[in-house]
Amino acid sequence: MPVAFRSSKSSHFPRFILKSFIFIALFSLIVLVLYKVAEHVESIASQIKTVAGHNLKPTPWHRFPQKTFDDESRFGQASKIIRCSYLMKCSSSRRPVPKKWHLREGQGQCPDFFRWIHHDLEPWSMTKISTTHLMKAKKFAAFRVVIVDGRLYTEFYHDCFQTRAMFTIWGLLQLLKRYPGHIPDVDLMFDCMDKPFIERDKHRAMPLPLFRYCTTPQHFDIPFPDWSFWGWPETNIQHWDKQFKDIKQGSQAVTWIDRLAFAYWKGNPDTGSPARSELLHCNDTLKWGAQILRQNWAAEAEAGFKDSNLSNQCKHRYKIYAEGYAWSVSLKYILSCGSTTLMIAPKYEDFFTRGLMPKDSYWPIPPTEFCPAIKFAVDWGNGNTAAAEAIGQRAQQLMETLTMDRVYDYMFHLLSEYSSLQDFKPAPPPSAFEVCESSLLCFANQIQTKFLKNSAASPSPNPPFKIPPHDPALIDSWIKQKTENINEVENMRQVNPGQPQH
């Protein structure tokens, strides 16, 4: 009987099929598992609101284009959110040991405008600040900050324009590092957009404590140093100490008397500001004594900010300040030039501008008839050069005293006074995330990281300067003096608008 032989090829074929099938099945299973993992990671990440603005919509009271994060894939973005939110280790859970200060005789006293801290917090001096106050203020806030045992926690409700939230919270982290163990526990609501909301007439029965960058006499909003003190990468503006140093150095290139003898403004007129729109009509150095230039920040960014260097903009005797959508960070840079600042009737005040006095550190321009008022101011200054130059010098000197040391002192005293008014023990809410330097930098891109690290603080060997005592009568006298000085300037113009007075 013949023996049947199977070929080698036929004997291995089923085994090859089986191995291929198993490989494909395992590969498909791995792909499915990875897909499910990625899906789960994306699902978790989509619920996390971050300091960079992930999963947040713009504030409904001030709309701006929503951030897209197009430079990252969906999974890459989700992985970054998980990594930065959960995997970045912050310092130990123990409260930082207070750094021993070298107490000195004749410890410095803070500038007089620090007295406004007492004024800003006076609405709660009798009632105190309760959790009910906070929960009612929440509807006006972009985020919540809780500091407990020297650790900072945040809860985000709305996105902030550009990197305002990131740089504001970085500033608070630097405060904790500058005065370790000395920052009291606080729980506060913060809005990062421009216009104040808590009107005194509407909320007189129950004032709501809301921190923001500016306020008005008609609002309860509590002014706090703005984000740009730690840098503004979108406009290539450096942290305050460096930026002031650069501006002052640039201002020394040309003496006041040798500068161009007309007024100068360069900015964005497309902010919805009536003042800036009207200011465009004053662009005539012969008729109105003013040069008005439009600033296109998008074009500047593409060109590497070659034409927007603030240290190169101190070549005019007079510089104009006009508010934008509300208050503008540009004021501190304008005052730093040593030029005579012509300030168009501001409605809003930030934490330090209440230390300015018309005719002393700036020249007031009325809210109407800008062009003739600017022309009168320029003519007056060119006819009274010593007095006009002195106004610019006093403003620059005031800004020179406003170092980051004093900015941190203002933050320290404001949070200390605020903390003393709380009638509850702050605790981070369950939905809050701890933020520390490493977790915040994890969300920052390369340019943002550079700006943030350049503005890092170090522990202070000395205690904060002392805050002046509350003096309501003194503040009332400042308000009265401002009004009198503004009226005096306007009367000068009305008496003889075409002739400078000596």
Side-chain angles (χ1 to χ4, degrees), residues 421-500:
L421 296 174
Q422 296 172 139
D423 70 357
F424 62 94
K425 181 175 175 57
S431 56
F433 279 88
E434 182 177 5
V435 179
C436 56
E437 282 194 11
S438 59
S439 66
L440 187 146
L441 289 171
C442 182
F443 281 111
N445 63 29
Q446 186 176 359
I447 295 175
Q448 293 161 1
T449 298
K450 179 181 177 181
F451 274 76
L452 292 165
K453 287 186 174 181
N454 284 344
S455 65
S458 56
S460 173
N462 303 310
F465 278 17
K466 294 179 180 178
I467 184 173
H470 189 24
D471 191 339
L474 181 59
I475 288 181
D476 287 343
S477 71
W478 291 343
I479 296 172
K480 181 180 178 182
Q481 188 64 56
K482 282 186 177 183
T483 302
E484 291 177 354
N485 288 8
I486 290 171
N487 290 339
E488 180 183 345
V489 169
E490 184 59 15
N491 288 337
M492 289 167 56
R493 188 175 74 87
Q494 294 296 339
V495 168
N496 200 340
Q499 193 72 30

Coordinates of all heavy atoms in Angstrom, one line a residue, residues 421-500:
L421 N -11.3 89.9 58.1 CA -12.7 90.2 58.0 C -13.6 88.9 57.7 O -14.8 88.9 57.8 CB -13.0 91.2 56.9 CG -12.4 92.6 57.1 CD1 -12.6 93.4 55.8 CD2 -13.1 93.2 58.3
Q422 N -12.9 87.8 57.4 CA -13.7 86.5 57.2 C -14.2 86.0 58.5 O -13.5 86.0 59.5 CB -12.7 85.5 56.5 CG -12.2 85.9 55.2 CD -11.2 85.0 54.6 OE1 -11.2 84.6 53.5 NE2 -10.2 84.5 55.5
D423 N -15.5 85.6 58.5 CA -16.0 85.0 59.7 C -16.1 83.5 59.6 O -16.9 82.8 60.3 CB -17.4 85.6 60.0 CG -18.5 85.1 59.0 OD1 -18.1 84.4 58.0 OD2 -19.7 85.5 59.1
F424 N -15.3 82.9 58.8 CA -15.2 81.4 58.6 C -13.8 81.0 58.4 O -12.9 81.8 58.1 CB -16.1 81.0 57.4 CG -15.6 81.6 56.1 CD1 -14.8 80.8 55.3 CD2 -16.0 82.8 55.7 CE1 -14.3 81.4 54.1 CE2 -15.6 83.4 54.5 CZ -14.7 82.6 53.7
K425 N -13.5 79.7 58.6 CA -12.2 79.2 58.3 C -12.1 78.7 56.9 O -12.8 77.8 56.5 CB -11.9 78.0 59.3 CG -10.5 77.4 59.1 CD -10.2 76.4 60.1 CE -8.8 75.7 59.8 NZ -7.7 76.7 59.8
P426 N -11.3 79.3 56.0 CA -11.2 78.9 54.6 C -10.8 77.4 54.5 O -9.9 76.9 55.3 CB -10.2 79.8 54.0 CG -10.2 81.0 55.0 CD -10.4 80.5 56.3
A427 N -11.3 76.8 53.5 CA -11.0 75.4 53.1 C -11.2 75.2 51.7 O -12.2 75.7 51.1 CB -11.8 74.4 53.9
P428 N -10.3 74.5 51.0 CA -10.5 74.4 49.5 C -11.7 73.5 49.2 O -12.0 72.5 49.9 CB -9.2 73.6 49.1 CG -8.7 73.0 50.3 CD -9.1 73.9 51.5
P429 N -12.6 73.9 48.3 CA -13.7 73.2 47.9 C -13.3 71.9 47.3 O -12.2 71.8 46.7 CB -14.5 74.1 46.9 CG -13.5 75.0 46.4 CD -12.5 75.2 47.5
P430 N -14.2 70.8 47.3 CA -13.8 69.5 46.7 C -13.4 69.6 45.3 O -12.6 68.8 44.8 CB -15.1 68.7 46.9 CG -15.8 69.4 48.0 CD -15.5 70.8 47.9
S431 N -14.0 70.5 44.5 CA -13.7 70.5 43.1 C -12.4 71.4 42.7 O -12.1 71.5 41.6 CB -14.9 71.1 42.3 OG -15.2 72.4 42.9
A432 N -11.8 71.9 43.7 CA -10.6 72.8 43.5 C -9.4 72.0 43.3 O -9.3 70.8 43.8 CB -10.4 73.8 44.7
F433 N -8.4 72.5 42.5 CA -7.2 71.9 42.3 C -6.1 72.7 42.9 O -6.1 74.0 42.9 CB -6.9 71.8 40.8 CG -7.5 70.6 40.1 CD1 -8.8 70.7 39.6 CD2 -6.9 69.4 40.0 CE1 -9.4 69.6 39.0 CE2 -7.5 68.3 39.4 CZ -8.8 68.4 38.9
E434 N -5.1 72.1 43.5 CA -3.9 72.8 44.0 C -3.1 73.3 42.9 O -2.9 72.5 41.9 CB -3.1 72.0 45.0 CG -1.9 72.8 45.5 CD -1.1 72.0 46.5 OE1 -1.4 70.8 46.7 OE2 -0.2 72.6 47.1
V435 N -2.6 74.5 42.9 CA -1.7 75.0 41.9 C -0.4 75.4 42.6 O -0.4 76.1 43.6 CB -2.3 76.3 41.2 CG1 -1.3 76.8 40.2 CG2 -3.6 75.9 40.6
C436 N 0.7 75.0 42.1 CA 2.0 75.4 42.5 C 2.8 75.8 41.3 O 2.3 75.7 40.2 CB 2.7 74.3 43.3 SG 2.9 72.7 42.4
E437 N 4.0 76.2 41.5 CA 4.8 76.7 40.3 C 5.0 75.6 39.3 O 4.8 75.9 38.1 CB 6.2 77.1 40.8 CG 6.2 78.5 41.4 CD 7.6 79.1 41.6 OE1 8.6 78.5 41.0 OE2 7.8 80.1 42.3
S438 N 5.3 74.4 39.7 CA 5.5 73.3 38.7 C 4.3 73.0 37.9 O 4.3 72.8 36.7 CB 6.1 72.1 39.4 OG 5.2 71.6 40.4
S439 N 3.1 72.9 38.6 CA 1.9 72.6 37.9 C 1.4 73.7 36.9 O 0.9 73.5 35.9 CB 0.8 72.2 38.9 OG 0.4 73.4 39.6
L440 N 1.7 75.0 37.3 CA 1.3 76.1 36.5 C 2.2 76.1 35.2 O 1.8 76.3 34.1 CB 1.4 77.4 37.2 CG 0.8 78.6 36.5 CD1 0.2 79.6 37.5 CD2 2.0 79.4 35.8
L441 N 3.5 76.0 35.5 CA 4.5 76.0 34.4 C 4.3 74.8 33.4 O 4.6 74.9 32.2 CB 5.9 75.9 34.9 CG 6.4 77.2 35.6 CD1 7.8 76.9 36.3 CD2 6.5 78.4 34.7
C442 N 3.7 73.8 33.9 CA 3.4 72.6 33.1 C 2.4 73.0 32.0 O 2.4 72.5 30.9 CB 2.8 71.5 33.9 SG 2.4 70.0 33.1
F443 N 1.5 73.9 32.3 CA 0.5 74.4 31.3 C 1.0 75.5 30.4 O 0.4 75.7 29.3 CB -0.7 74.9 32.0 CG -1.7 73.8 32.5 CD1 -1.8 73.6 33.9 CD2 -2.4 73.0 31.6 CE1 -2.7 72.6 34.3 CE2 -3.2 72.0 32.1 CZ -3.4 71.8 33.5
A444 N 2.1 76.1 30.7 CA 2.6 77.2 30.0 C 3.4 76.8 28.7 O 4.1 75.7 28.8 CB 3.5 78.1 30.8
N445 N 3.3 77.5 27.7 CA 4.1 77.2 26.5 C 5.5 77.8 26.7 O 5.9 78.4 27.7 CB 3.5 77.7 25.2 CG 3.3 79.2 25.1 OD1 4.1 80.0 25.7 ND2 2.3 79.7 24.4
Q446 N 6.4 77.7 25.7 CA 7.8 78.1 25.8 C 7.9 79.5 26.1 O 8.7 80.0 27.0 CB 8.6 77.7 24.6 CG 10.1 77.9 24.7 CD 10.8 77.4 23.4 OE1 10.2 76.9 22.5 NE2 12.1 77.6 23.4
I447 N 7.2 80.4 25.4 CA 7.3 81.8 25.6 C 6.8 82.2 26.9 O 7.4 83.0 27.7 CB 6.6 82.6 24.5 CG1 7.3 82.3 23.1 CG2 6.5 84.1 24.7 CD1 6.6 82.9 21.9
Q448 N 5.6 81.7 27.3 CA 5.0 82.0 28.6 C 5.9 81.6 29.7 O 6.1 82.3 30.7 CB 3.6 81.3 28.7 CG 2.6 81.8 27.8 CD 1.4 80.8 27.5 OE1 1.4 79.7 28.1 NE2 0.5 81.2 26.7
T449 N 6.5 80.4 29.6 CA 7.4 79.9 30.6 C 8.6 80.9 30.9 O 9.0 81.2 32.0 CB 8.0 78.5 30.3 OG1 6.9 77.6 30.2 CG2 9.0 78.0 31.3
K450 N 9.1 81.4 29.8 CA 10.2 82.3 29.9 C 9.8 83.6 30.6 O 10.5 84.0 31.5 CB 10.7 82.7 28.5 CG 11.9 83.7 28.5 CD 12.3 84.1 27.0 CE 13.4 85.1 27.0 NZ 13.8 85.5 25.6
F451 N 8.7 84.1 30.3 CA 8.2 85.3 31.0 C 7.9 85.0 32.5 O 8.2 85.9 33.3 CB 6.9 85.8 30.3 CG 7.1 86.8 29.2 CD1 7.6 86.3 27.9 CD2 7.0 88.1 29.3 CE1 7.8 87.1 26.9 CE2 7.2 89.0 28.2 CZ 7.6 88.5 27.0
L452 N 7.3 83.9 32.8 CA 7.0 83.6 34.1 C 8.2 83.4 35.0 O 8.4 83.9 36.1 CB 6.1 82.3 34.2 CG 4.7 82.4 33.6 CD1 4.1 81.0 33.4 CD2 3.8 83.2 34.5
K453 N 9.2 82.6 34.5 CA 10.4 82.4 35.2 C 11.2 83.7 35.4 O 11.9 83.8 36.5 CB 11.3 81.3 34.5 CG 10.7 79.9 34.6 CD 11.7 78.9 34.0 CE 11.2 77.5 34.3 NZ 12.1 76.5 33.7
N454 N 11.2 84.6 34.4 CA 11.9 85.8 34.6 C 11.3 86.7 35.7 O 12.0 87.6 36.2 CB 11.8 86.6 33.3 CG 12.8 86.1 32.2 OD1 13.7 85.3 32.6 ND2 12.6 86.4 31.0
S455 N 10.1 86.5 36.1 CA 9.4 87.3 37.1 C 9.3 86.6 38.4 O 8.6 87.0 39.4 CB 8.0 87.7 36.6 OG 7.2 86.5 36.5
A456 N 10.0 85.5 38.6 CA 10.0 84.7 39.8 C 10.6 85.5 41.0 O 11.6 86.2 40.8 CB 10.8 83.4 39.7
A457 N 9.9 85.4 42.1 CA 10.4 86.1 43.4 C 11.2 85.1 44.2 O 11.3 83.9 43.9 CB 9.2 86.5 44.2
S458 N 11.8 85.7 45.2 CA 12.6 84.9 46.2 C 12.2 85.4 47.6 O 11.7 86.5 47.8 CB 14.1 85.1 46.0 OG 14.4 86.5 46.0
P459 N 12.4 84.5 48.6 CA 12.0 84.9 49.9 C 12.7 86.2 50.4 O 13.9 86.5 50.2 CB 12.5 83.7 50.8 CG 12.6 82.6 49.8 CD 13.0 83.2 48.5
S460 N 11.9 87.1 51.0 CA 12.4 88.3 51.5 C 13.0 88.2 52.8 O 12.5 87.6 53.8 CB 11.2 89.3 51.6 OG 11.6 90.6 52.2
P461 N 14.2 88.8 53.0 CA 14.9 88.7 54.3 C 14.3 89.7 55.3 O 14.5 89.6 56.5 CB 16.3 89.2 54.0 CG 16.2 90.0 52.8 CD 15.0 89.5 52.0
N462 N 13.4 90.6 54.8 CA 12.8 91.7 55.6 C 11.3 91.6 55.6 O 10.7 91.1 54.6 CB 13.3 93.1 55.1 CG 14.8 93.2 55.1 OD1 15.5 92.9 56.1 ND2 15.3 93.7 54.0
P463 N 10.7 92.1 56.6 CA 9.2 92.1 56.6 C 8.7 93.1 55.7 O 9.4 94.0 55.2 CB 8.9 92.4 58.1 CG 10.0 93.2 58.6 CD 11.2 92.6 57.9
P464 N 7.4 93.1 55.3 CA 6.8 94.1 54.5 C 6.9 95.4 55.2 O 6.9 95.5 56.4 CB 5.3 93.6 54.3 CG 5.3 92.2 54.7 CD 6.4 92.0 55.7
F465 N 6.9 96.5 54.4 CA 6.8 97.8 54.9 C 5.4 97.9 55.7 O 4.5 97.2 55.4 CB 6.8 98.9 53.8 CG 8.2 99.2 53.4 CD1 9.3 98.4 53.6 CD2 8.4 100.4 52.6 CE1 10.6 98.7 53.2 CE2 9.7 100.7 52.2 CZ 10.8 99.9 52.5
K466 N 5.4 98.9 56.6 CA 4.2 99.1 57.4 C 3.1 99.8 56.6 O 3.4 100.7 55.9 CB 4.5 99.9 58.7 CG 5.4 99.2 59.7 CD 5.7 100.0 60.9 CE 6.6 99.3 61.9 NZ 6.9 100.2 63.0
I467 N 1.9 99.4 56.8 CA 0.8 100.0 56.1 C 0.3 101.2 57.0 O 0.2 101.1 58.2 CB -0.4 99.0 55.9 CG1 -1.6 99.7 55.1 CG2 -0.9 98.5 57.2 CD1 -2.7 98.7 54.7
P468 N 0.1 102.4 56.3 CA -0.4 103.5 57.1 C -1.8 103.3 57.7 O -2.5 102.5 57.1 CB -0.4 104.7 56.1 CG 0.4 104.2 54.9 CD 0.3 102.7 54.9
P469 N -2.1 103.9 58.8 CA -3.4 103.6 59.4 C -4.6 104.2 58.6 O -4.4 105.1 57.7 CB -3.3 104.3 60.8 CG -2.3 105.4 60.6 CD -1.3 104.8 59.6
H470 N -5.7 103.7 58.9 CA -6.9 104.2 58.2 C -7.2 105.6 58.6 O -7.1 106.0 59.8 CB -8.1 103.3 58.6 CG -9.4 103.5 57.8 ND1 -9.4 104.1 56.6 CD2 -10.7 103.3 58.2 CE1 -10.6 104.2 56.1 NE2 -11.4 103.7 57.1
D471 N -7.4 106.4 57.6 CA -7.7 107.9 57.8 C -8.7 108.4 56.8 O -8.4 109.0 55.8 CB -6.4 108.7 57.7 CG -6.5 110.1 58.3 OD1 -7.7 110.6 58.3 OD2 -5.5 110.7 58.6
P472 N -10.0 108.1 57.1 CA -11.0 108.5 56.1 C -11.0 110.0 55.8 O -11.3 110.4 54.7 CB -12.3 108.1 56.9 CG -11.9 107.1 57.8 CD -10.6 107.4 58.3
A473 N -10.7 110.8 56.8 CA -10.7 112.3 56.6 C -9.6 112.7 55.6 O -9.8 113.5 54.7 CB -10.5 113.0 57.9
L474 N -8.4 112.0 55.7 CA -7.4 112.3 54.7 C -7.7 111.9 53.3 O -7.5 112.6 52.4 CB -6.1 111.5 55.2 CG -4.9 111.7 54.3 CD1 -4.5 113.2 54.2 CD2 -3.7 110.9 54.8
I475 N -8.4 110.7 53.2 CA -8.8 110.3 51.8 C -9.9 111.2 51.3 O -9.8 111.6 50.1 CB -9.4 108.8 51.9 CG1 -8.2 107.8 52.1 CG2 -10.2 108.5 50.6 CD1 -8.6 106.4 52.2
D476 N -10.8 111.7 52.1 CA -11.8 112.7 51.7 C -11.1 114.0 51.2 O -11.5 114.6 50.2 CB -12.7 113.0 52.8 CG -13.7 111.8 53.1 OD1 -13.8 111.0 52.2 OD2 -14.3 111.8 54.1
S477 N -10.0 114.3 51.9 CA -9.3 115.6 51.5 C -8.6 115.4 50.2 O -8.5 116.3 49.4 CB -8.3 116.0 52.6 OG -7.2 115.1 52.6
W478 N -8.1 114.2 49.9 CA -7.5 113.9 48.6 C -8.5 114.0 47.5 O -8.2 114.6 46.4 CB -6.9 112.5 48.6 CG -5.7 112.3 49.4 CD1 -4.9 113.2 50.0 CD2 -5.2 111.0 49.9 NE1 -3.9 112.7 50.7 CE2 -4.0 111.3 50.7 CE3 -5.5 109.7 49.7 CZ2 -3.3 110.3 51.3 CZ3 -4.8 108.7 50.3 CH2 -3.7 109.0 51.1
I479 N -9.7 113.4 47.7 CA -10.7 113.5 46.7 C -11.1 114.9 46.4 O -11.3 115.3 45.2 CB -11.9 112.6 47.2 CG1 -11.5 111.2 47.3 CG2 -13.1 112.8 46.2 CD1 -12.6 110.3 47.9
K480 N -11.2 115.7 47.5 CA -11.6 117.1 47.3 C -10.5 117.9 46.6 O -10.8 118.7 45.7 CB -11.9 117.7 48.7 CG -12.3 119.2 48.7 CD -12.5 119.7 50.1 CE -12.9 121.2 50.0 NZ -13.0 121.8 51.4
Q481 N -9.3 117.6 46.9 CA -8.2 118.3 46.3 C -8.1 118.0 44.8 O -7.8 118.8 43.9 CB -6.8 117.9 47.0 CG -5.6 118.7 46.5 CD -5.8 120.2 46.8 OE1 -6.0 120.6 48.0 NE2 -5.7 121.1 45.8
K482 N -8.3 116.7 44.4 CA -8.3 116.3 43.0 C -9.4 117.1 42.2 O -9.1 117.6 41.2 CB -8.6 114.8 42.9 CG -7.4 113.9 43.2 CD -7.7 112.5 42.9 CE -6.5 111.6 43.1 NZ -6.8 110.1 42.8
T483 N -10.6 117.1 42.8 CA -11.6 117.9 42.1 C -11.3 119.3 42.0 O -11.5 119.9 40.9 CB -13.0 117.7 43.0 OG1 -13.3 116.3 43.1 CG2 -14.1 118.4 42.3
E484 N -10.7 119.9 43.0 CA -10.4 121.4 42.9 C -9.3 121.6 41.8 O -9.4 122.6 41.1 CB -9.9 121.9 44.3 CG -11.0 121.9 45.3 CD -10.4 122.4 46.7 OE1 -9.2 122.5 46.8 OE2 -11.2 122.6 47.6
N485 N -8.3 120.7 41.8 CA -7.2 120.9 40.8 C -7.7 120.7 39.4 O -7.3 121.4 38.4 CB -6.1 119.9 41.1 CG -5.3 120.2 42.3 OD1 -5.6 121.1 43.0 ND2 -4.2 119.5 42.5
I486 N -8.6 119.7 39.2 CA -9.2 119.5 37.8 C -10.0 120.7 37.4 O -9.9 121.2 36.3 CB -10.1 118.2 37.8 CG1 -9.2 117.0 37.9 CG2 -10.9 118.2 36.5 CD1 -9.9 115.7 38.2
N487 N -10.8 121.2 38.3 CA -11.6 122.4 38.0 C -10.7 123.6 37.8 O -11.1 124.5 36.9 CB -12.6 122.7 39.2 CG -13.7 121.7 39.3 OD1 -14.0 121.0 38.4 ND2 -14.3 121.6 40.5
E488 N -9.6 123.7 38.5 CA -8.7 124.9 38.3 C -8.1 124.8 36.8 O -8.1 125.9 36.2 CB -7.6 124.8 39.3 CG -6.6 126.0 39.1 CD -5.4 125.9 40.1 OE1 -5.5 125.1 41.1 OE2 -4.4 126.5 39.9
V489 N -7.7 123.7 36.4 CA -7.2 123.5 35.0 C -8.3 123.9 34.0 O -8.0 124.6 33.0 CB -6.6 122.1 34.8 CG1 -6.3 121.9 33.3 CG2 -5.4 121.9 35.7
E490 N -9.5 123.4 34.2 CA -10.5 123.6 33.2 C -10.9 125.1 33.2 O -11.2 125.6 32.1 CB -11.7 122.7 33.6 CG -12.9 122.8 32.6 CD -12.5 122.5 31.1 OE1 -11.4 121.8 30.9 OE2 -13.3 122.8 30.2
N491 N -10.9 125.7 34.4 CA -11.2 127.2 34.4 C -10.1 128.0 33.6 O -10.4 128.9 33.0 CB -11.3 127.6 35.9 CG -12.5 127.2 36.6 OD1 -13.5 126.8 35.9 ND2 -12.5 127.1 37.9
M492 N -8.9 127.5 33.8 CA -7.8 128.2 33.0 C -8.1 128.1 31.5 O -7.9 129.1 30.8 CB -6.4 127.5 33.3 CG -5.9 127.7 34.7 SD -4.5 126.6 35.1 CE -3.4 126.9 33.7
R493 N -8.5 127.0 31.1 CA -8.8 126.8 29.6 C -10.0 127.6 29.2 O -10.0 128.2 28.1 CB -9.0 125.3 29.3 CG -9.0 125.0 27.8 CD -9.1 123.5 27.6 NE -10.4 122.9 28.0 CZ -11.4 122.9 27.1 NH1 -11.3 123.3 25.9 NH2 -12.5 122.3 27.5
Q494 N -11.0 127.6 30.0 CA -12.2 128.3 29.6 C -12.1 129.8 29.6 O -12.7 130.5 28.8 CB -13.4 127.9 30.6 CG -13.8 126.5 30.6 CD -14.4 126.1 29.2 OE1 -14.9 126.9 28.5 NE2 -14.4 124.8 28.9
V495 N -11.2 130.3 30.5 CA -11.0 131.8 30.6 C -10.3 132.3 29.3 O -10.7 133.3 28.7 CB -10.1 132.1 31.8 CG1 -9.6 133.6 31.7 CG2 -10.9 131.9 33.1
N496 N -9.3 131.5 28.8 CA -8.6 131.9 27.6 C -8.1 130.7 26.9 O -6.9 130.4 27.0 CB -7.5 132.9 28.0 CG -7.0 133.7 26.8 OD1 -7.3 133.3 25.6 ND2 -6.3 134.8 27.1
P497 N -8.9 130.0 26.2 CA -8.5 128.7 25.6 C -7.4 128.8 24.6 O -6.7 127.8 24.4 CB -9.8 128.2 24.9 CG -10.6 129.4 24.7 CD -10.3 130.3 25.9
G498 N -7.2 129.9 24.0 CA -6.1 130.0 23.0 C -4.9 130.6 23.5 O -3.9 130.8 22.7
Q499 N -4.8 130.9 24.8 CA -3.6 131.6 25.3 C -3.0 130.8 26.5 O -3.7 130.7 27.5 CB -3.9 133.0 25.7 CG -2.7 133.9 25.9 CD -2.0 134.2 24.6 OE1 -2.6 134.3 23.6 NE2 -0.7 134.4 24.7
P500 N -1.8 130.3 26.5 CA -1.3 129.6 27.7 C -1.1 130.6 28.8 O -0.7 131.8 28.6 CB 0.0 129.1 27.2 CG 0.4 129.9 26.0 CD -0.9 130.3 25.4

